[in-house]
Amino acid sequence: MKLTGSSVMDTFRNNKRHTVFLLAAVIGSVLFSLVPPQILRLIIDTQLVPARTDRLRLLAAVYLVSVIFSGLCDFGKGALLTDLGQRMIKNMRQEMLAKMHRLPSIYFSKTSSGSITGRFNNDVEHISSLFTDGAVSMLVDSLKMAGIVISIAVFSIKLGIAVLILIPLIYVMTRAFQKYMLKAQKENLAELGEMNEHLEDSVRNIRTVKAYSREGWIYGLYRDLLVRNFYTVRKVNFCDALYSPLIQMIKSVVIAAVVLSASGQCSIVGISVGMTAASIDLITNLFGPIEALGTEFQNIQDGISAVHRIDEFGDEEEETDKDDSLEISSIMNGHAEDEPVITAKDVSFSYDRNRTAVLDDVSFEIMPGDYVTITGRTGVGKTTLLNLVTGLFVPDSGQIKIYDTDVTTIPYSIKRGLYGYVSQDMKLIHGTLLEQITLKDPAITRERAIETMKFTGLYDELGEFADRSDCVLSQGQKQLMSIARAIAPNPPILIFDEITASLDSLTEERIVGVLKKATEQHTVLSVSHRLTSLQNSDHVIYLENGRIRARGTPEEIFAQVPDFAALLKLQESGWS
């Protein structure tokens, strides 16, 4: 079953009492809305016209009770719809979140965060509206209209047929107005956005505008936007002002026809005074549901589109199954010191299988205690290779192993015990400095977190702020903090992605020094194109066009790729 269908069915299945009460409220809302006009007919025809009062109080009481029960049913319907809608939203978002956690990391590389957020927020809200303000409300309004038409037809078949013909005509007119107004409102929102953007640009660049004496030009642009928006808003207001009087005129014409019918002045079969009053009441109540149908139909259209988008999300291919029987001890035990820690064999990968491969037939081995740097020009697949090594991406072909175990089969729950990952930008969480390191993992003690701060040299600078969350970190301190976070679980492998790219030479030298200390206890794989980082590596892998062009010590790489070495030296000297 599709994701939306399972969420909706689970909501009804887990809230049977709410569902039963909702059905009762819907039926009651429809039935009790038809009772007052019938009681009004009886009051007029059997009591007022014959000048009798024997049942007047009873009928008045029944009329009052039916109105109260109709209101209570409408209230119950609205409250239960809202409650079930919120439960549905909760269930759907929970299922979507669970689905998101099962998606491979490559999905998030190809899909923007705004698109994902839109599905969680806007699309789910539209589906809730599909249920609360769309399908159910349309069903109720349709039943009310059917009941009103039947009630009128009981008084006069011809009048019932006339009202039945009138309904689609009014609905078509209502939809035409709504579509026109919706288009104008969208234009209005777009134009307001343009005006706001123009004002922001004008304020931001006011010095440039004044320096070049271009105030008149800027003023003219803004005036044109104002004039265009003026006519757009006028269209919206014109439709809004026209629609209600038009509906009132149609309603008045129908009521006049009913009155004339009662007096025998038209060809419609005559009806009694009570029937006339009841028909007028029913016709007045008829226009509300007709007007609501247009909005409900729009909600249904938006909801159906949202259902398709969420179901597409639910149909996304999930990542490969993990081997839950694996543990860190079972992965590392029995591994000899002369065997590689990381092995890549014939690895190829592309973000889109119909395009050129980012990596093609890449193979290498990293031994325990090695400090290996992957380098190359921008866009050759360095970070992609790290994502493959960590198992975030799955290769199209080939295999990457950590301690003879396929990395794609290792559960995320134990990966942090195998390697620590440091990206270019430190992602801060809400918490104290120590919690930035521990990520609130109970397995990492306070003493261990402080030890890692001392290892990176941060404790001397920030030790007094260790239990505070209001400390402002420099970029270099953030990178050192991210290194402390990576080594806190004491993993055997450390992976660094361009962690010195945006730092000055002094801060870079400090971080490189920390990395050199880290290699004494860990195997390090890094990505860098900074000369200092390369010179401190044991081995370097040079990527070019998705393949390994050269590998060896830094000196060997510089000899094999002299053009790259020259470029690094220019960058080091400040040239670009």
Side-chain angles (χ1 to χ4, degrees):
M1 185 179 291
K2 297 289 187 178
L3 192 151
T4 50
S6 64
S7 298
V8 172
M9 294 304 297
D10 286 343
T11 301
F12 288 127
R13 192 180 300 114
N14 297 329
N15 299 276
K16 294 179 181 178
R17 182 179 299 178
H18 284 71
T19 304
V20 171
F21 285 151
L22 175 62
L23 290 175
V26 167
I27 295 172
S29 176
V30 173
L31 294 179
F32 282 112
S33 68
L34 300 176
V35 171
Q38 300 296 337
I39 302 299
L40 181 63
R41 176 183 67 82
L42 292 174
I43 290 174
I44 294 175
D45 286 347
T46 65
Q47 300 295 305
L48 298 183
V49 172
R52 296 169 55 184
T53 60
D54 54 328
R55 292 192 302 162
L56 185 61
R57 291 182 178 179
L58 175 62
L59 290 174
V62 173
Y63 183 90
L64 177 62
V65 170
S66 64
V67 170
I68 292 174
F69 271 95
S70 177
L72 289 175
C73 288
D74 282 335
F75 168 76
K77 180 200 71 174
L80 289 168
L81 275 176
T82 302
D83 186 67
L84 282 173
Q86 291 301 312
R87 292 171 187 264
M88 188 182 300
I89 286 176
K90 183 194 71 173
N91 291 341
M92 194 169 298
R93 284 176 174 160
Q94 285 178 337
E95 289 194 28
M96 290 176 68
L97 184 63
K99 172 68 179 183
M100 187 178 72
H101 288 161
R102 296 193 300 269
L103 292 175
S105 297
I106 187 66
Y107 173 82
F108 302 98
S109 298
K110 298 187 294 185
T111 309
S112 67
S113 58
S115 174
I116 298 173
T117 303
R119 293 187 179 185
F120 271 79
N121 292 333
N122 300 336
D123 288 346
V124 173
E125 291 289 347
H126 282 149
I127 291 177
S128 175
S129 296
L130 167 64
F131 171 68
T132 56
D133 301 322
V136 176
S137 296
M138 178 175 282
L139 174 63
V140 172
D141 289 333
S142 298
L143 291 175
K144 282 184 178 180
M145 287 190 297
I148 289 172
V149 171
I150 293 173
S151 297
I152 294 175
V154 170
F155 304 151
S156 168
I157 294 293
K158 290 185 177 180
L159 183 60
I161 294 173
V163 172
L164 185 62
I165 295 173
L166 184 65
I167 289 176
L169 296 177
I170 297 176
Y171 174 74
V172 170
M173 185 193 74
T174 300
R175 285 294 294 156
F177 268 87
Q178 286 179 334
K179 287 182 178 179
Y180 185 81
M181 289 182 65
L182 180 62
K183 180 181 178 182
Q185 287 168 344
K186 287 182 177 178
E187 291 177 3
N188 179 41
L189 291 175
E191 289 164 1
L192 288 175
E194 288 185 52
M195 287 192 292
N196 290 335
E197 185 178 355
H198 180 83
L199 280 175
E200 290 176 6
D201 288 342
S202 299
V203 173
R204 185 168 56 249
N205 301 307
I206 189 65
R207 293 185 179 181
T208 302
V209 172
K210 286 185 172 294
Y212 287 91
S213 187
R214 303 305 299 161
E215 295 93 340
W217 174 56
I218 296 297
Y219 171 78
L221 291 175
Y222 190 63
R223 181 189 57 203
D224 293 341
L225 289 173
L226 285 173
V227 171
R228 182 151 55 96
N229 185 248
F230 168 78
Y231 287 108
T232 300
V233 173
R234 192 164 70 173
K235 287 192 294 185
V236 175
N237 293 336
F238 175 78
C239 289
D240 191 38
L242 178 62
Y243 180 74
S244 290
L246 197 58
I247 291 293
Q248 292 298 325
M249 288 175 59
I250 296 173
K251 187 189 301 183
S252 300
V253 169
V254 176
I255 291 174
V258 173
V259 174
L260 290 174
S261 173
S263 63
Q265 299 299 313
C266 68
S267 58
I268 300 178
V269 176
I271 56 179
S272 68
V273 177
M275 291 180 181
T276 301
S279 297
I280 292 173
D281 193 8
L282 288 168
I283 290 171
T284 302
N285 294 335
L286 178 65
F287 281 79
I290 294 176
E291 293 179 43
L293 282 180
T295 303
E296 291 159 0
F297 185 76
Q298 185 65 46
N299 289 334
I300 289 176
Q301 285 183 316
D302 293 339
I304 291 174
S305 299
V307 167
H308 289 313
R309 286 191 294 270
I310 290 181
D311 282 342
E312 288 175 0
F313 176 77
D315 291 338
E316 288 289 340
E317 184 178 354
E318 298 181 4
E319 63 182 351
T320 56
D321 293 333
K322 308 300 180 184
D323 186 352
D324 293 329
S325 65
L326 290 175
E327 296 180 359
I328 295 178
S329 58
S330 63
I331 294 174
M332 296 181 60
N333 286 348
H335 189 270
E337 293 184 0
D338 58 347
E339 293 179 342
V341 174
I342 302 174
T343 304
K345 185 176 182 181
D346 305 327
V347 173
S348 297
F349 177 82
S350 61
Y351 287 93
D352 187 336
R353 294 179 185 271
N354 297 322
R355 296 182 180 178
T356 304
V358 178
L359 295 171
D360 185 18
D361 198 26
V362 172
S363 299
F364 60 85
E365 293 181 347
I366 299 178
M367 304 302 292
D370 276 355
Y371 181 177
V372 178
T373 299
I374 301 171
T375 191
R377 297 178 184 273
T378 301
V380 296
K382 301 186 296 295
T383 299
T384 300
L385 184 55
L386 290 190
N387 288 329
L388 289 166
V389 169
T390 57
L392 294 175
F393 292 173
V394 178
D396 297 338
S397 61
Q399 189 179 47
I400 295 180
K401 292 183 177 182
I402 293 181
Y403 296 107
D404 294 326
T405 302
D406 189 333
V407 70
T408 60
T409 66
I410 301 175
Y412 289 110
S413 58
I414 66 172
K415 277 186 178 179
R416 197 182 180 205
L418 286 174
Y419 54 76
Y421 183 86
V422 181
S423 62
Q424 297 181 33
D425 298 315
M426 167 69 167
K427 304 299 182 183
L428 297 174
I429 64 169
H430 180 72
T432 65
L433 289 185
L434 288 180
E435 288 172 340
Q436 302 294 340
I437 297 172
T438 65
L439 295 177
K440 299 186 179 181
D441 184 350
I444 303 175
T445 63
R446 173 185 174 85
E447 291 72 21
R448 175 59 182 168
I450 292 176
E451 182 183 340
T452 57
M453 287 187 70
K454 292 179 178 178
F455 179 85
T456 58
L458 283 175
Y459 194 77
D460 293 338
E461 302 175 11
L462 305 174
E464 60 182 307
F465 302 102
D467 295 306
R468 292 175 57 177
S469 58
D470 59 348
C471 182
V472 179
L473 303 178
S474 67
Q475 187 62 33
Q477 288 172 333
K478 287 182 180 179
Q479 290 295 60
L480 290 171
M481 185 69 72
S482 64
I483 295 174
R485 176 189 290 176
I487 66 176
N490 197 28
I493 304 169
L494 294 178
I495 298 177
F496 304 117
D497 184 11
E498 296 276 16
I499 62 174
T500 61
S502 59
L503 303 178
D504 60 79
S505 57
L506 291 177
T507 307
E508 179 189 11
E509 184 178 351
R510 178 183 178 184
I511 291 179
V512 169
V514 173
L515 296 183
K516 289 178 68 175
K517 285 199 302 181
T519 57
E520 298 174 3
Q521 304 174 12
H522 308 270
T523 300
V524 177
L525 175 62
S526 73
V527 162
S528 180
H529 59 267
R530 297 291 288 264
L531 184 60
T532 306
S533 299
L534 295 179
Q535 288 174 335
N536 285 280
S537 303
D538 297 325
H539 301 283
V540 176
I541 297 175
Y542 181 82
L543 291 178
E544 186 174 273
N545 297 325
R547 290 175 173 267
I548 296 179
R549 175 180 169 183
R551 70 184 78 193
T553 64
E555 293 76 14
E556 291 171 341
I557 293 295
F558 296 152
Q560 295 178 54
V561 194
D563 55 335
F564 182 67
L567 178 62
L568 290 178
K569 291 179 180 179
L570 280 175
Q571 290 176 341
E572 200 72 12
S573 63
W575 291 85
S576 59

